[in-house]
mmCIF file of all heavy atoms in Angstrom:
data_model
loop_
_atom_site.group_PDB
_atom_site.id
_atom_site.type_symbol
_atom_site.label_atom_id
_atom_site.label_comp_id
_atom_site.label_asym_id
_atom_site.label_seq_id
_atom_site.Cartn_x
_atom_site.Cartn_y
_atom_site.Cartn_z
ATOM 1 N N LEU A 806 -9.270 17.043 3.667
ATOM 2 C CA LEU A 806 -9.851 15.688 3.409
ATOM 3 C C LEU A 806 -9.843 14.881 4.742
ATOM 4 O O LEU A 806 -10.922 14.230 4.988
ATOM 5 C CB LEU A 806 -9.060 14.921 2.405
ATOM 6 C CG LEU A 806 -9.221 15.347 0.895
ATOM 7 C CD1 LEU A 806 -8.275 14.726 -0.083
ATOM 8 C CD2 LEU A 806 -10.680 15.081 0.428
ATOM 9 N N MET A 807 -8.867 15.085 5.583
ATOM 10 C CA MET A 807 -8.931 14.433 6.900
ATOM 11 C C MET A 807 -10.110 14.880 7.661
ATOM 12 O O MET A 807 -10.792 14.165 8.342
ATOM 13 C CB MET A 807 -7.584 14.590 7.618
ATOM 14 C CG MET A 807 -6.455 13.782 7.082
ATOM 15 S SD MET A 807 -5.055 13.790 8.232
ATOM 16 C CE MET A 807 -4.594 15.487 8.239
ATOM 17 N N GLU A 808 -10.373 16.177 7.565
ATOM 18 C CA GLU A 808 -11.513 16.735 8.366
ATOM 19 C C GLU A 808 -12.843 16.352 7.734
ATOM 20 O O GLU A 808 -13.815 16.134 8.544
ATOM 21 C CB GLU A 808 -11.360 18.289 8.328
ATOM 22 C CG GLU A 808 -10.215 18.826 9.178
ATOM 23 C CD GLU A 808 -10.024 20.285 8.971
ATOM 24 O OE1 GLU A 808 -10.790 20.997 8.234
ATOM 25 O OE2 GLU A 808 -8.985 20.812 9.513
ATOM 26 N N THR A 809 -13.016 16.355 6.429
ATOM 27 C CA THR A 809 -14.282 16.035 5.811
ATOM 28 C C THR A 809 -14.564 14.524 5.627
ATOM 29 O O THR A 809 -15.762 14.125 5.625
ATOM 30 C CB THR A 809 -14.362 16.826 4.526
ATOM 31 O OG1 THR A 809 -13.345 16.417 3.681
ATOM 32 C CG2 THR A 809 -14.411 18.372 4.764
ATOM 33 N N GLU A 810 -13.659 13.772 5.292
ATOM 34 C CA GLU A 810 -13.821 12.405 4.880
ATOM 35 C C GLU A 810 -13.045 11.386 5.769
ATOM 36 O O GLU A 810 -13.348 10.212 5.706
ATOM 37 C CB GLU A 810 -13.326 12.166 3.430
ATOM 38 C CG GLU A 810 -14.125 13.112 2.433
ATOM 39 C CD GLU A 810 -13.752 12.945 0.987
ATOM 40 O OE1 GLU A 810 -12.829 12.103 0.690
ATOM 41 O OE2 GLU A 810 -14.304 13.556 0.099
ATOM 42 N N GLY A 811 -12.159 11.932 6.550
ATOM 43 C CA GLY A 811 -11.263 10.996 7.338
ATOM 44 C C GLY A 811 -11.968 10.071 8.224
ATOM 45 O O GLY A 811 -11.635 8.849 8.310
ATOM 46 N N ASP A 812 -12.976 10.499 8.963
ATOM 47 C CA ASP A 812 -13.652 9.739 9.958
ATOM 48 C C ASP A 812 -14.374 8.584 9.249
ATOM 49 O O ASP A 812 -14.267 7.439 9.708
ATOM 50 C CB ASP A 812 -14.582 10.543 10.842
ATOM 51 C CG ASP A 812 -13.864 11.457 11.806
ATOM 52 O OD1 ASP A 812 -12.698 11.278 12.032
ATOM 53 O OD2 ASP A 812 -14.565 12.370 12.316
ATOM 54 N N ALA A 813 -15.125 8.850 8.235
ATOM 55 C CA ALA A 813 -15.841 7.854 7.521
ATOM 56 C C ALA A 813 -14.944 6.808 6.877
ATOM 57 O O ALA A 813 -15.089 5.597 7.002
ATOM 58 C CB ALA A 813 -16.848 8.423 6.594
ATOM 59 N N ILE A 814 -13.913 7.354 6.212
ATOM 60 C CA ILE A 814 -12.943 6.414 5.577
ATOM 61 C C ILE A 814 -12.307 5.534 6.618
ATOM 62 O O ILE A 814 -12.129 4.356 6.460
ATOM 63 C CB ILE A 814 -11.850 7.210 4.867
ATOM 64 C CG1 ILE A 814 -12.505 7.741 3.449
ATOM 65 C CG2 ILE A 814 -10.613 6.462 4.566
ATOM 66 C CD1 ILE A 814 -12.602 6.724 2.438
ATOM 67 N N ASN A 815 -11.823 6.132 7.709
ATOM 68 C CA ASN A 815 -11.067 5.303 8.702
ATOM 69 C C ASN A 815 -11.994 4.246 9.303
ATOM 70 O O ASN A 815 -11.585 3.074 9.411
ATOM 71 C CB ASN A 815 -10.651 6.257 9.875
ATOM 72 C CG ASN A 815 -9.762 5.600 10.771
ATOM 73 O OD1 ASN A 815 -10.217 4.993 11.789
ATOM 74 N ND2 ASN A 815 -8.423 5.547 10.482
ATOM 75 N N GLU A 816 -13.239 4.572 9.663
ATOM 76 C CA GLU A 816 -14.192 3.616 10.263
ATOM 77 C C GLU A 816 -14.424 2.428 9.214
ATOM 78 O O GLU A 816 -14.302 1.211 9.660
ATOM 79 C CB GLU A 816 -15.484 4.249 10.576
ATOM 80 C CG GLU A 816 -16.543 3.242 11.090
ATOM 81 C CD GLU A 816 -17.892 3.996 11.435
ATOM 82 O OE1 GLU A 816 -17.904 5.199 11.447
ATOM 83 O OE2 GLU A 816 -18.828 3.240 11.749
ATOM 84 N N ASN A 817 -14.645 2.672 8.006
ATOM 85 C CA ASN A 817 -14.993 1.678 7.026
ATOM 86 C C ASN A 817 -13.873 0.830 6.594
ATOM 87 O O ASN A 817 -13.889 -0.369 6.521
ATOM 88 C CB ASN A 817 -15.705 2.352 5.825
ATOM 89 C CG ASN A 817 -17.140 2.864 6.108
ATOM 90 O OD1 ASN A 817 -17.931 2.221 6.789
ATOM 91 N ND2 ASN A 817 -17.354 4.100 5.626
ATOM 92 N N VAL A 818 -12.686 1.528 6.240
ATOM 93 C CA VAL A 818 -11.584 0.840 5.739
ATOM 94 C C VAL A 818 -10.891 -0.038 6.850
ATOM 95 O O VAL A 818 -10.505 -1.142 6.633
ATOM 96 C CB VAL A 818 -10.590 1.850 5.098
ATOM 97 C CG1 VAL A 818 -9.279 1.153 4.778
ATOM 98 C CG2 VAL A 818 -11.224 2.520 3.939
ATOM 99 N N SER A 819 -10.842 0.595 8.063
ATOM 100 C CA SER A 819 -10.137 -0.195 9.093
ATOM 101 C C SER A 819 -10.955 -1.430 9.444
ATOM 102 O O SER A 819 -10.399 -2.422 9.799
ATOM 103 C CB SER A 819 -10.075 0.736 10.371
ATOM 104 O OG SER A 819 -9.164 1.842 10.135
ATOM 105 N N ARG A 820 -12.305 -1.308 9.429
ATOM 106 C CA ARG A 820 -13.185 -2.505 9.728
ATOM 107 C C ARG A 820 -12.886 -3.559 8.688
ATOM 108 O O ARG A 820 -12.727 -4.708 9.016
ATOM 109 C CB ARG A 820 -14.675 -2.093 9.705
ATOM 110 C CG ARG A 820 -15.617 -3.198 9.770
ATOM 111 C CD ARG A 820 -17.055 -2.787 9.787
ATOM 112 N NE ARG A 820 -17.353 -1.738 8.800
ATOM 113 C CZ ARG A 820 -17.540 -2.062 7.527
ATOM 114 N NH1 ARG A 820 -17.431 -3.277 7.107
ATOM 115 N NH2 ARG A 820 -17.792 -1.129 6.616
ATOM 116 N N MET A 821 -12.874 -3.169 7.457
ATOM 117 C CA MET A 821 -12.673 -4.227 6.328
ATOM 118 C C MET A 821 -11.296 -4.780 6.525
ATOM 119 O O MET A 821 -11.056 -6.070 6.299
ATOM 120 C CB MET A 821 -12.731 -3.601 4.973
ATOM 121 C CG MET A 821 -14.196 -3.209 4.673
ATOM 122 S SD MET A 821 -14.516 -2.870 2.876
ATOM 123 C CE MET A 821 -13.486 -1.381 2.538
ATOM 124 N N ASN A 822 -10.278 -3.987 7.022
ATOM 125 C CA ASN A 822 -8.953 -4.555 7.182
ATOM 126 C C ASN A 822 -8.918 -5.619 8.366
ATOM 127 O O ASN A 822 -8.327 -6.697 8.184
ATOM 128 C CB ASN A 822 -7.964 -3.408 7.452
ATOM 129 C CG ASN A 822 -6.542 -3.919 7.403
ATOM 130 O OD1 ASN A 822 -6.159 -4.620 6.503
ATOM 131 N ND2 ASN A 822 -5.646 -3.450 8.303
ATOM 132 N N ARG A 823 -9.646 -5.264 9.468
ATOM 133 C CA ARG A 823 -9.705 -6.171 10.533
ATOM 134 C C ARG A 823 -10.407 -7.538 10.024
ATOM 135 O O ARG A 823 -9.941 -8.600 10.488
ATOM 136 C CB ARG A 823 -10.461 -5.590 11.797
ATOM 137 C CG ARG A 823 -9.734 -4.463 12.434
ATOM 138 C CD ARG A 823 -10.432 -4.109 13.750
ATOM 139 N NE ARG A 823 -11.774 -3.620 13.601
ATOM 140 C CZ ARG A 823 -12.047 -2.352 13.320
ATOM 141 N NH1 ARG A 823 -11.202 -1.459 13.210
ATOM 142 N NH2 ARG A 823 -13.389 -2.025 13.133
ATOM 143 N N GLU A 824 -11.494 -7.316 9.311
ATOM 144 C CA GLU A 824 -12.214 -8.562 8.899
ATOM 145 C C GLU A 824 -11.439 -9.397 7.919
ATOM 146 O O GLU A 824 -11.622 -10.586 7.755
ATOM 147 C CB GLU A 824 -13.537 -8.098 8.414
ATOM 148 C CG GLU A 824 -14.445 -7.510 9.474
ATOM 149 C CD GLU A 824 -15.844 -7.130 9.041
ATOM 150 O OE1 GLU A 824 -16.108 -7.276 7.901
ATOM 151 O OE2 GLU A 824 -16.590 -6.609 9.981
ATOM 152 N N ARG A 825 -10.551 -8.680 7.187
ATOM 153 C CA ARG A 825 -9.661 -9.492 6.316
ATOM 154 C C ARG A 825 -8.698 -10.410 7.052
ATOM 155 O O ARG A 825 -8.599 -11.618 6.754
ATOM 156 C CB ARG A 825 -8.748 -8.559 5.457
ATOM 157 C CG ARG A 825 -7.770 -9.269 4.577
ATOM 158 C CD ARG A 825 -6.914 -8.298 3.805
ATOM 159 N NE ARG A 825 -6.200 -7.425 4.605
ATOM 160 C CZ ARG A 825 -5.000 -7.673 5.211
ATOM 161 N NH1 ARG A 825 -4.543 -8.861 5.094
ATOM 162 N NH2 ARG A 825 -4.471 -6.757 5.995
ATOM 163 N N TYR A 826 -8.175 -9.856 8.112
ATOM 164 C CA TYR A 826 -7.354 -10.701 8.981
ATOM 165 C C TYR A 826 -8.092 -11.850 9.579
ATOM 166 O O TYR A 826 -7.547 -13.023 9.554
ATOM 167 C CB TYR A 826 -6.785 -9.831 10.200
ATOM 168 C CG TYR A 826 -5.634 -8.942 9.906
ATOM 169 C CD1 TYR A 826 -5.629 -7.628 10.013
ATOM 170 C CD2 TYR A 826 -4.426 -9.502 9.500
ATOM 171 C CE1 TYR A 826 -4.552 -6.876 9.753
ATOM 172 C CE2 TYR A 826 -3.321 -8.793 9.236
ATOM 173 C CZ TYR A 826 -3.374 -7.390 9.372
ATOM 174 O OH TYR A 826 -2.288 -6.671 9.090
ATOM 175 N N ALA A 827 -9.352 -11.676 10.029
ATOM 176 C CA ALA A 827 -10.119 -12.643 10.599
ATOM 177 C C ALA A 827 -10.392 -13.729 9.519
ATOM 178 O O ALA A 827 -10.423 -15.007 9.817
ATOM 179 C CB ALA A 827 -11.392 -12.187 11.160
ATOM 180 N N ALA A 828 -10.776 -13.318 8.350
ATOM 181 C CA ALA A 828 -11.128 -14.277 7.231
ATOM 182 C C ALA A 828 -9.894 -15.170 6.865
ATOM 183 O O ALA A 828 -10.035 -16.414 6.758
ATOM 184 C CB ALA A 828 -11.689 -13.517 6.080
ATOM 185 N N ALA A 829 -8.770 -14.535 6.841
ATOM 186 C CA ALA A 829 -7.606 -15.244 6.533
ATOM 187 C C ALA A 829 -7.243 -16.268 7.601
ATOM 188 O O ALA A 829 -6.735 -17.343 7.323
ATOM 189 C CB ALA A 829 -6.403 -14.307 6.233
ATOM 190 N N GLU A 830 -7.465 -15.872 8.867
ATOM 191 C CA GLU A 830 -7.131 -16.710 9.949
ATOM 192 C C GLU A 830 -7.895 -17.985 10.041
ATOM 193 O O GLU A 830 -7.391 -19.068 10.365
ATOM 194 C CB GLU A 830 -7.317 -15.860 11.260
ATOM 195 C CG GLU A 830 -6.983 -16.615 12.556
ATOM 196 C CD GLU A 830 -5.482 -16.793 12.782
ATOM 197 O OE1 GLU A 830 -4.752 -15.980 12.144
ATOM 198 O OE2 GLU A 830 -5.075 -17.686 13.487
ATOM 199 N N ARG A 831 -9.191 -17.902 9.614
ATOM 200 C CA ARG A 831 -10.029 -19.026 9.649
ATOM 201 C C ARG A 831 -10.048 -19.950 8.419
ATOM 202 O O ARG A 831 -10.743 -20.829 8.221
ATOM 203 C CB ARG A 831 -11.521 -18.649 10.105
ATOM 204 C CG ARG A 831 -12.121 -17.734 9.076
ATOM 205 C CD ARG A 831 -13.601 -17.386 9.492
ATOM 206 N NE ARG A 831 -14.252 -16.473 8.548
ATOM 207 C CZ ARG A 831 -14.306 -15.189 8.832
ATOM 208 N NH1 ARG A 831 -13.844 -14.676 9.891
ATOM 209 N NH2 ARG A 831 -14.912 -14.458 7.959
ATOM 210 N N PHE A 832 -9.260 -19.435 7.439
ATOM 211 C CA PHE A 832 -9.156 -20.209 6.190
ATOM 212 C C PHE A 832 -7.823 -20.887 5.983
ATOM 213 O O PHE A 832 -6.847 -20.118 5.636
ATOM 214 C CB PHE A 832 -9.512 -19.197 5.011
ATOM 215 C CG PHE A 832 -9.668 -19.836 3.630
ATOM 216 C CD1 PHE A 832 -10.548 -20.972 3.459
ATOM 217 C CD2 PHE A 832 -8.920 -19.397 2.604
ATOM 218 C CE1 PHE A 832 -10.574 -21.497 2.262
ATOM 219 C CE2 PHE A 832 -9.051 -19.952 1.327
ATOM 220 C CZ PHE A 832 -9.849 -21.089 1.151
ATOM 221 N N GLU A 833 -7.709 -22.113 6.207
ATOM 222 C CA GLU A 833 -6.424 -22.782 6.219
ATOM 223 C C GLU A 833 -5.657 -22.599 4.932
ATOM 224 O O GLU A 833 -4.472 -22.513 4.953
ATOM 225 C CB GLU A 833 -6.576 -24.241 6.609
ATOM 226 C CG GLU A 833 -6.677 -24.535 8.051
ATOM 227 C CD GLU A 833 -6.699 -26.021 8.321
ATOM 228 O OE1 GLU A 833 -6.099 -26.837 7.506
ATOM 229 O OE2 GLU A 833 -7.225 -26.410 9.361
#
Side-chain angles (χ1 to χ4, degrees):
L806 287 170
M807 285 194 297
E808 290 171 4
T809 56
E810 301 181 0
D812 288 346
I814 282 286
N815 188 271
E816 178 182 349
N817 289 315
V818 171
S819 298
R820 172 179 47 77
M821 291 197 293
N822 193 43
R823 289 193 298 273
E824 292 180 1
R825 173 182 61 82
Y826 277 120
E830 182 71 24
R831 60 179 177 262
F832 186 53
E833 275 188 25

